[in-house]
């Protein structure tokens, strides 16, 4: 049996990348393209990401602009933003939609921190599940006498070190996001 720690690292890193993407969508009181990237717009008979039908810009720290390419889709984009529960109030001028970013209340900031905490905990759970599956796999190979006890301990140690490293990365990402959200 050949143990590939890099394959395991790749699986675990996907969870960290998903967490980063989720964090980018959390509002911190400043304009960020990641804030509206997940918005899906009804266009041409299906739902498409807003970035496929418009340019998103940040002309100032507390303002986003959405330049819609097809004038017939402006109303759909505006409606999608309004119904996305992001708390944004679109102002339309022709094909350009302006999105002023309102101030966050203290309570709203705390809610966003709780959500960030949940996202980071979910990522840790995914990583621990990958670790558990890998450990079960090497134990099975040891039971079948395909690897020795020494290899079992060596592989287990490598898996645990990788898990600890990525859990620490997640904790650090969460701490940074929390500071960012609570910063007034």
């Amino acid at each position: 049996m050949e143990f590939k720690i890099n394959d395991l690292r790749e699986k675990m890193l996907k969870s960290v990348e998903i967490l980063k993407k989720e964090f980018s969508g959390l509002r911190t009181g400043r304009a960020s393209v990641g804030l509206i990237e997940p918005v899906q717009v009804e266009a041409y008979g299906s739902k498409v990401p807003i970035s496929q039908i418009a340019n998103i810009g940040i002309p100032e720290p507390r303002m986003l602009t959405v330049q819609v390419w097809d004038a017939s889709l402006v109303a759909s984009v505006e409606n999608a933003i309004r119904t996305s529960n992001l708390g944004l109030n679109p102002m339309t001028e022709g094909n350009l939609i302006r999105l002023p970013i309102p101030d966050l209340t203290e309570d709203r900031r705390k809610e966003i921190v709780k959500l960030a905490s949940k996202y980071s905990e979910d990522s840790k759970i995914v990583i621990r599940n990958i670790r558990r599956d890998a450990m079960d796999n090497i134990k099975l190979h040891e039971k079948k006498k395909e690897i020795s006890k020494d290899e079992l301990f060596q592989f287990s140690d490598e898996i645990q070190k990788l898990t600890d490293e990525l859990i620490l990365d997640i904790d650090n990402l969460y701490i940074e996001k929390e500071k960012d959200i609570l910063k007034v």
Side-chain angles (χ1 to χ4, degrees):
M1 180 216 148
E2 190 178 327
F3 177 69
K4 295 181 179 142
I5 192 77
N6 286 337
D7 292 348
L8 202 57
R9 177 182 297 277
E10 218 172 278
K11 280 184 187 175
M12 289 181 174
L13 281 174
K14 282 181 185 166
S15 175
V16 175
E17 290 307 311
I18 290 169
L19 176 67
K20 287 178 182 176
K21 194 166 181 70
E22 287 173 332
F23 276 0
S24 73
L26 291 179
R27 206 168 92 199
T28 60
R30 287 188 314 277
S32 163
V33 174
L35 181 62
I36 63 170
E37 274 184 338
V39 173
Q40 297 283 310
V41 179
E42 188 69 43
Y44 312 116
S46 65
K47 290 216 178 245
V48 296
I50 198 167
S51 59
Q52 289 185 6
I53 57 171
N55 278 336
I56 303 167
I58 307 173
E60 36 186 285
R62 298 181 54 79
M63 173 79 69
L64 283 170
T65 57
V66 180
Q67 181 70 49
V68 184
W69 299 321
D70 184 345
S72 66
L73 296 176
V74 172
S76 293
V77 171
E78 188 178 350
N79 186 44
I81 293 168
R82 233 181 259 290
T83 59
S84 65
N85 292 327
L86 292 173
L88 299 174
N89 189 21
M91 297 183 297
T92 306
E93 301 165 9
N95 283 15
L96 183 71
I97 300 172
R98 294 185 187 281
L99 301 167
I101 309 296
D103 284 333
L104 292 175
T105 64
E106 188 64 29
D107 287 343
R108 183 67 181 133
R109 287 179 192 275
K110 288 177 182 171
E111 285 175 30
I112 295 171
V113 167
K114 283 182 189 173
L115 190 56
S117 175
K118 181 192 177 309
Y119 287 164
S120 62
E121 197 52 47
D122 290 348
S123 285
K124 289 180 191 179
I125 289 169
V126 168
I127 287 174
R128 289 182 188 122
N129 286 341
I130 294 169
R131 175 194 61 193
R132 184 196 62 229
D133 293 346
M135 294 289 212
D136 290 348
N137 190 22
I138 61 171
K139 286 176 187 170
L140 180 70
H141 286 288
E142 191 270 333
K143 202 175 208 177
K144 291 179 180 177
K145 304 284 186 228
E146 294 172 6
I147 62 172
S148 67
K149 280 255 189 245
D150 287 345
E151 287 174 313
L152 172 73
F153 290 125
Q154 177 194 346
F155 295 157
S156 295
D157 192 45
E158 286 180 46
I159 293 168
Q160 190 58 50
K161 282 180 183 171
L162 176 61
T163 303
D164 293 343
E165 172 190 327
L166 291 174
I167 296 280
L168 182 63
D169 287 352
I170 288 171
D171 286 340
N172 290 334
L173 285 170
Y174 170 72
I175 288 166
E176 283 302 308
K177 191 64 178 180
E178 181 182 36
K179 284 179 192 171
D180 197 27
I181 293 168
L182 295 177
K183 186 171 34 176
V184 179

